[in-house]
Amino acid sequence: MPLQTKLFIDGEFVEAEDGSTITVLNPHDNSEITQVAQAQVADIDRAVAAAKRAFPAWRDMQAAERGRLLLRLADLVEDNAEELARIESLDTGHPIRDTTGLDVPRTAFTYRYFGGMADKVQGSVVPVEPGFLNYVTREPVGVVGQIIPWNFPLMFTSWKMGPALAAGNTVVIKPAQVTPLTALKIGELMAEAGFPPGVVNIVPASGRTAGQHLAEHPDVQKIAFTGSTSVGRKIVNYSAGNLKRVQLELGGKGANIVFDDAFLPGAINGSAFAIFHNQGQACIAGSRLLLHERIADEFLDGFLSLAGSIRLGNPLDPDTEMGPLTSTSQQKAVLSYCDITYQEGGEILIGGKRPDDPGLADGNYVEPTVVRAQPEDRVCQEEVFGPFVSVNTFSSDEEVIELANSTEYGLGGGLWSRDLSRAHKVAGAMRSGMVWVNCYKRVNPGSPFGGVGSSGYGREMGFEAMHEYTDAKSVWVNVDAQIPPYYPR
Ligand code: NAD
């Protein structure tokens, strides 16, 4: 499979100035896939300079023309679907059935959505005093720095770059070191689509050096970050130098509530998807199961038997339902939460270890894990970011609302109930940027995505995203230029 392995700067694939590289590993067996150029501070400077040069022409291009390029990119993503899916599976460990069925189509969908959006961002006219016209336009913010994590690297290129480019900004995007391959492939497709040089620059790099430099850069007007809450806090500090705009999509600890009137087969299936899809490496994972005590046993019978039957294996095998975690360090982190469960007096109901299959011994696999613990325990409060779900029970709506809102996070959460009135009431009471009723983890480029509390601020997707990537400009006109404006003297 041909892989792009160089930095994409100013429309060209180039080596890092000092020749640095990253070794990219296959999470299935930790064998080397390839070496990829690793951007350093000097390369970030080159990328930002290219984006700055490209900005005026891109901003002034007719919006429909920017949209046309994004639509072309969406087509190219579809034309290259098989290759993109294979690269993403190889690099991240997502099962090929998911990259083929979800990641790639959603990526194309998102680029297409924002391609269509480019010429639909309108300003407004404000009804002000007679004799004056006040209109408001939306202006791109300029050069945007974007930092993305390793859990959905392909899809996140579209979530981040789609709205930024549609709105007329130029971009320097930094994929995570461990998963740079599909983002670089997108650079190749952008060049093929005809994006002008410098409009997009793709620079895989370490967060601590190059990432920090990008977030601090005085020529970057906005930083959009997806990643952990701890790094998100640093980004806010880095942004202070030139008071750049900040958008933060951070961690989560999704409450997934099953009421006693839920349709249980659907709730069991949906709850398994909520936590085990992508090995639980999702900010919106339903990682806290809150079960009504009347159905808890019946639910758990079905849920544990489903969890125990999930087929783990090589992500490139179409039969695989769950692949390895993306890195050994993530595997270690998840297994450490199994130890913490025991230390805190909790119980592991299933999983809690690597699979016994010797064929998976060299990979970053962890079995689907379900634990019972106290709501205040670390495993019920901290983001594990793996196939690891805690279980608590409740007996009333008031109690479960309090439980659902008892962590510092507020990104996504779900509930399962056939009582519409209860569903709407509880959805309204959940302190969460997104709530799913009788489903989980639905996303669509038209629907705002983001959180509250330690899950960050700002919204991706939809019109909200276009506002995130534009500033309002208010223009006042004295319509009758013969009449001097009022001046008290
Ligand atoms: P991370 O915070 O370690 O890294 C995210 C990105 O930031 C990477 O590109 C990394 O290189 C970079 N980075 C690291 N340190 C940096 C620094 N000091 N300065 C600048 N950049 C730096 O997170 P991760 O482990 O890659 O991803 C998992 C986290 O991402 C989880 O907490 C997850 O919940 C979160 N996430 C959030 C969303 C959302 O939309 N809210 C979506 C996916 C993942």
Side-chain angles (χ1 to χ4, degrees):
M1 213 158 29
L3 298 172
Q4 279 300 349
T5 57
K6 295 183 185 167
L7 312 175
F8 184 61
I9 297 179
D10 212 4
E12 287 179 5
F13 283 97
V14 295
E15 300 290 359
E17 245 177 51
D18 70 352
S20 301
T21 57
I22 309 162
T23 303
V24 183
L25 299 177
N26 177 349
H28 169 60
D29 56 9
N30 285 300
S31 60
E32 178 177 331
I33 301 172
T34 188
Q35 298 273 326
V36 164
Q38 173 168 230
Q40 303 292 344
V41 164
D43 304 300
I44 297 292
D45 286 340
R46 268 200 293 169
V48 172
K52 189 176 171 182
R53 277 194 304 276
F55 175 64
W58 183 249
R59 175 196 58 200
D60 296 341
M61 183 185 276
Q62 191 176 346
E65 184 59 17
R66 288 198 300 266
R68 199 184 62 78
L69 290 171
L70 284 163
L71 295 173
R72 174 92 184 103
L73 176 63
D75 290 344
L76 287 172
V77 167
E78 282 167 350
D79 294 348
N80 291 271
E82 205 181 318
E83 192 178 331
L84 282 166
R86 283 180 66 80
I87 299 174
E88 189 76 334
S89 288
L90 189 70
D91 199 7
T92 63
H94 297 197
I96 190 84
R97 59 166 63 193
D98 291 344
T99 52
T100 305
L102 293 174
D103 300 53
V104 173
R106 282 179 174 177
T107 301
F109 190 14
T110 307
Y111 281 125
R112 187 163 289 129
Y113 175 87
F114 285 108
M117 177 72 94
D119 58 354
K120 314 226 169 17
V121 181
Q122 301 178 348
S124 58
V125 177
V126 183
V128 293
E129 298 79 352
F132 288 90
L133 168 67
N134 176 240
Y135 61 88
V136 181
T137 57
R138 307 279 334 173
E139 307 223 322
V141 298
V143 176
V144 171
Q146 302 184 321
I147 298 179
I148 56 174
W150 42 262
N151 57 335
F152 292 101
L154 172 65
M155 228 166 59
F156 286 157
T157 64
S158 64
W159 289 27
K160 288 267 180 286
M161 294 201 284
L165 295 172
N169 303 280
T170 54
V171 167
V172 177
I173 187 166
K174 191 200 88 57
Q177 262 171 315
V178 278
T179 55
L181 297 178
T182 42
L184 292 174
K185 179 75 190 172
I186 288 290
E188 180 190 310
L189 299 183
M190 284 180 141
E192 190 180 336
F195 281 82
V199 166
V200 166
N201 304 273
I202 304 171
V203 283
S206 138
R208 255 167 288 162
T209 49
Q212 173 170 350
H213 188 62
L214 180 62
E216 287 176 337
H217 207 292
D219 288 336
V220 171
Q221 279 79 37
K222 164 170 173 155
I223 191 91
F225 173 80
T226 297
S228 59
T229 297
S230 56
V231 176
R233 291 201 172 93
K234 292 184 190 170
I235 297 286
V236 173
N237 291 330
Y238 302 155
S239 72
N242 67 340
L243 292 177
K244 56 175 65 68
R245 284 178 69 150
V246 180
Q247 182 178 353
L248 298 174
E249 305 291 343
L250 308 177
K253 190 73 178 172
N256 183 23
I257 306 169
V258 185
F259 286 101
D260 53 351
D261 59 22
F263 173 62
L264 281 192
I268 289 168
N269 209 290
S271 301
F273 177 72
I275 184 61
F276 299 130
H277 168 240
N278 198 26
Q279 296 74 256
Q281 300 166 123
C283 50
I284 52 175
S287 52
R288 284 186 298 146
L289 263 175
L290 306 177
L291 306 178
H292 194 284
E293 58 189 18
R294 268 202 289 274
I295 50 85
D297 289 345
E298 189 185 346
F299 178 95
L300 278 177
D301 276 353
F303 186 73
L304 293 177
S305 106
L306 201 166
S309 70
I310 291 174
R311 287 191 300 272
L312 270 70
N314 189 333
L316 292 175
D317 178 344
D319 286 336
T320 293
E321 292 173 327
M322 217 176 96
L325 297 176
T326 300
S327 65
T328 43
S329 63
Q330 195 57 25
Q331 181 196 37
K332 270 190 209 133
V334 175
L335 291 172
S336 80
Y337 275 101
C338 301
D339 297 337
I340 293 170
T341 308
Y342 287 126
Q343 286 156 16
E344 292 183 314
E347 185 189 355
I348 295 188
L349 303 178
I350 193 168
K353 59 177 182 62
R354 297 151 175 253
D356 299 326
D357 181 350
L360 306 181
D362 293 334
N364 310 324
Y365 293 87
V366 175
E367 289 183 351
T369 299
V370 184
V371 309
R372 208 195 292 270
Q374 295 304 312
E376 60 280 7
D377 288 349
R378 284 181 61 192
V379 294
C380 298
Q381 291 291 322
E382 297 175 13
E383 183 181 48
V384 176
F385 219 59
F388 184 106
V389 60
S390 64
V391 177
N392 298 119
T393 55
F394 65 91
S395 58
S396 71
D397 292 8
E398 294 68 34
E399 186 189 1
V400 80
I401 289 167
E402 202 177 313
L403 270 178
N405 294 340
S406 67
T407 77
E408 64 177 305
Y409 296 108
L411 189 58
L415 66 94
W416 302 82
S417 167
R418 278 180 284 193
D419 177 339
L420 271 182
S421 150
R422 164 189 265 172
H424 286 298
K425 258 197 237 162
V426 176
M430 286 170 79
R431 188 171 156 270
S432 185
M434 291 159 285
V435 177
W436 296 280
V437 177
N438 294 325
C439 58
Y440 208 99
K441 272 177 113 178
R442 300 295 310 176
V443 291
N444 180 290
S447 179
F449 185 104
V452 298
S454 293
S455 295
Y457 45 76
R459 292 292 178 271
E460 306 206 272
M461 312 294 209
F463 275 97
E464 307 255 352
M466 301 306 283
H467 279 196
E468 298 280 350
Y469 283 101
T470 52
D471 286 317
K473 176 187 269 182
S474 169
V475 179
W476 284 87
V477 181
N478 178 8
V479 177
D480 188 346
Q482 303 304 316
I483 303 173
Y486 172 71
Y487 181 67
R489 39 194 335 203

